[in-house]
Amino acid sequence: MNKQPQFIVVNTGKKKRAVMPTLSSTSSNQLSEEQDNWPPSLKEYVAHAFENCLPNNKKKLEKQLKMIIQQAEKTNMLNVIDWNERDLPLACIDIKNPNSSQLFHKKAATTIVSKMGNIELTPAEEKKRQLRAMRFQATKMGSPTPMDIDNELTPSMNDVIVGTSNALEKPYFRLTSAVDPTIVRPLKVLKKAFKMLRRKWKEESNYSYICEQFKSMRQDLTVQRIQNEFTVRVYETHARIALEKGDIGEYNQCQTQLKYLYKKDIPGCEDEFLAYRILYLIFSQNQSEINAMLEEMCDIGLNNHADCIQHALLVRSCLAKGDYHKFFRLYEDAPNMSGYLMDQFVERIRIDALIVMCKAYKMGLPFSFISKELSFDSIKLLFKFFKEHGIHIQNKNILDTKSALPILLAQSKNYNKIDIKGQI
């Protein structure tokens, strides 16, 4: 005769209800004591799980919950995980995510930045985990442990790490404990590694490999507190490679650190990266920071900057005025790697420009004219753009602006918010 699970009353802060059966390997009293240490969100999570579980699945749910809680306890994540945002275990009736394949699966709209065992962590949870690790390290070392802009743990202010590793290649991993000098490369070795990585990038163009190696190099520079021209060169090179591959999150991490290094008067390509920063703020639609930057630049005089900065300022001015014709001419003549950043928001501008054109030309517009105005390399690419945005081509020569306008207005709403990984 099968023994039925005994239910334990959990107080969720709203009302008491029977929610969780006694786990097979744990006594009822012991589990009750463990539940006293659970955060309220976990108690609510367990309660919600049993409310959405069919009677014949409760045994299966019990095992899955046990795995989830044990994994969270084992990795010290019990109070870090946002249980209110977790999908329910597979045994539950999960209408929102019936095809969920992992116990710790996050909702699709949530960005995952790392994993702890089976647990996928959101940016907020990863930050809480790092802060927890920092507090632990500070207790061991007897002093506070700061975190630099690049999100790498650094040694305490009383310690200076000097690496002893001679390895040119080194995988990247987040630091959660005291730094071991034997796995950190000194400046001399880092310079050799940098030369090797530049050669490999030209020969192989393997971005996943290069990105990991540069992140590892940045970490070695950070933990040794090396801030010199070489440091700037490493961040500038990684930022350019990230731009070329469209990795805006990684570029933004490099850009943030470069801004800090330039302020310390360490020489580098400051004008070039100030131009990129202006374009990046246009992409992220951060108007308040653009205005603050313009106020600072007015002290020097907007006309006294390098050509690349002047180009970025003209881009901002064109968009502020709605001068789309001039914007696309600037897009075609973008200096340095500004074109890669403009690629990130040119689609949004094309939609805005088309809305203006459709309102102005109600009798239709030739595709040849649209293609030239919006800087498409061919009519074929223009048709592809229309197809991707739900605009059907009825006449091969002329766009029906009347039918296209409501579709474009609906599409423009998709660009109201920018979700940028790695934004700081």
Side-chain angles (χ1 to χ4, degrees):
M1 173 174 156
N2 292 332
K3 197 172 183 180
Q4 293 298 320
Q6 298 176 347
F7 283 81
I8 294 174
V9 174
V10 172
N11 186 355
T12 64
K14 299 177 182 178
K15 61 180 180 179
K16 291 185 176 181
R17 50 189 169 186
V19 292
M20 176 138 183
T22 304
L23 300 181
S24 57
S25 62
T26 312
S27 68
S28 177
N29 291 336
Q30 184 180 349
L31 185 59
S32 297
E33 293 175 0
E34 291 176 355
Q35 288 176 346
D36 290 337
N37 297 323
W38 289 359
S41 59
L42 174 55
K43 296 177 182 179
E44 193 70 29
Y45 175 83
V46 173
H48 191 46
F50 277 95
E51 286 176 351
N52 289 273
C53 181
L54 296 174
N56 59 341
N57 278 348
K58 290 191 183 295
K59 198 80 174 177
K60 184 178 179 182
L61 174 61
E62 179 185 343
K63 292 180 180 178
Q64 291 179 353
L65 284 171
K66 181 179 177 181
M67 286 175 58
I68 290 172
I69 295 168
Q70 285 182 344
Q71 178 71 14
E73 289 176 334
K74 183 179 179 182
T75 55
N76 293 320
M77 299 296 294
L78 207 62
N79 294 295
V80 173
I81 295 171
D82 186 355
W83 296 100
N84 292 325
E85 292 297 319
R86 291 283 151 179
D87 281 352
L88 298 179
L90 294 173
C92 297
I93 307 169
D94 189 353
I95 299 174
K96 292 183 180 180
N97 189 14
N99 298 318
S100 177
S101 60
Q102 298 184 38
L103 293 178
F104 287 81
H105 181 76
K106 290 293 293 181
K107 293 176 182 176
T110 306
T111 302
I112 303 301
V113 296
S114 61
K115 294 183 72 173
M116 286 285 292
N118 287 334
I119 306 176
E120 296 176 333
L121 303 182
T122 64
E125 291 169 350
E126 172 61 23
K127 185 174 181 180
K128 286 175 69 177
R129 185 188 72 80
Q130 289 189 16
L131 290 173
R132 184 186 182 94
M134 287 168 62
R135 288 195 298 270
F136 172 74
Q137 185 175 340
T139 301
K140 285 180 62 178
M141 302 179 73
S143 58
T145 308
M147 181 179 292
D148 89 324
I149 298 173
D150 215 13
N151 289 330
E152 310 297 350
L153 295 179
T154 59
S156 70
M157 297 303 293
N158 296 325
D159 297 324
V160 177
I161 297 297
V162 178
T164 60
S165 173
N166 290 317
L168 293 182
E169 297 174 292
K170 174 187 165 185
Y172 170 78
F173 55 89
R174 287 188 176 272
L175 298 176
T176 56
S177 60
V179 181
D180 181 1
T182 61
I183 61 172
V184 176
R185 295 164 293 181
L187 182 59
K188 183 179 179 180
V189 177
L190 288 173
K191 288 182 176 179
K192 292 180 181 179
F194 178 69
K195 187 176 180 180
M196 177 202 71
L197 290 178
R198 291 188 64 193
R199 186 185 71 252
K200 280 202 168 188
W201 174 244
K202 290 180 181 179
E203 295 174 353
E204 302 173 10
S205 298
N206 184 344
Y207 180 67
S208 59
Y209 165 80
I210 290 294
C211 184
E212 181 188 39
Q213 292 299 315
F214 266 99
K215 283 173 72 71
S216 177
M217 183 177 295
R218 284 158 43 190
Q219 186 181 71
D220 284 354
L221 289 167
T222 297
V223 299
Q224 295 177 96
R225 295 201 197 92
I226 299 173
Q227 296 179 347
N228 55 24
E229 290 186 47
F230 175 72
T231 307
V232 169
R233 195 177 179 197
V234 167
Y235 277 92
E236 287 177 343
T237 304
H238 193 185
R240 293 189 186 101
I241 292 173
L243 275 181
E244 185 177 343
K245 302 305 292 186
D247 189 347
I248 297 301
E250 203 63 53
Y251 157 77
N252 187 44
Q253 288 190 21
C254 294
Q255 167 191 259
T256 306
Q257 185 74 337
L258 281 169
K259 183 182 177 184
Y260 166 75
L261 293 169
Y262 292 147
K263 281 187 176 180
K264 299 190 74 172
D265 293 326
I266 302 174
C269 302
E270 188 171 358
D271 287 341
E272 176 189 351
F273 279 86
L274 177 55
Y276 296 157
R277 182 162 183 80
I278 295 169
L279 295 174
Y280 175 83
L281 293 175
I282 295 172
F283 160 64
S284 60
Q285 303 184 60
N286 193 337
Q287 191 60 46
S288 60
E289 193 165 343
I290 291 176
N291 293 337
M293 180 181 290
L294 287 174
E295 287 181 12
E296 293 179 10
M297 297 175 72
C298 281
D299 295 337
I300 305 174
L302 294 178
N303 296 323
N304 296 325
H305 292 286
D307 290 344
C308 56
I309 298 176
Q310 291 287 352
H311 173 273
L313 291 172
L314 283 172
V315 170
R316 186 212 65 84
S317 178
C318 288
L319 294 180
K321 297 175 183 177
D323 188 348
Y324 298 113
H325 174 80
K326 189 170 182 179
F327 168 84
F328 285 105
R329 304 296 77 79
L330 290 168
Y331 175 58
E332 292 173 351
D333 297 326
N336 299 323
M337 304 192 74
S338 295
Y340 289 105
L341 264 171
M342 295 179 74
D343 283 341
Q344 298 298 319
F345 59 88
V346 70
E347 190 170 289
R348 179 176 84 212
I349 308 305
R350 280 170 170 159
I351 293 289
D352 292 342
L354 276 167
I355 289 173
V356 173
M357 293 164 75
C358 287
K359 288 179 179 179
Y361 299 90
K362 296 184 178 180
M363 300 301 293
L365 271 173
F367 289 125
S368 57
F369 173 78
I370 298 173
S371 178
K372 184 178 179 180
E373 276 298 297
L374 302 187
S375 192
F376 282 99
D377 291 336
S378 66
I379 298 289
K380 185 177 180 181
L381 289 175
L382 175 62
F383 285 171
K384 182 182 178 183
F385 175 83
F386 283 145
K387 184 178 180 181
E388 289 172 348
H389 291 84
I391 298 174
H392 301 289
I393 306 300
Q394 298 174 349
N395 186 316
K396 292 185 178 181
N397 297 315
I398 298 176
L399 173 68
D400 183 353
T401 53
K402 187 176 181 180
S403 62
L405 180 58
I407 300 173
L408 291 167
L409 288 170
Q411 286 289 326
S412 67
K413 295 178 181 178
N414 297 331
Y415 297 99
N416 289 340
K417 290 184 178 180
I418 305 296
D419 182 18
I420 311 167
K421 295 180 181 179
Q423 175 140 18
I424 298 176

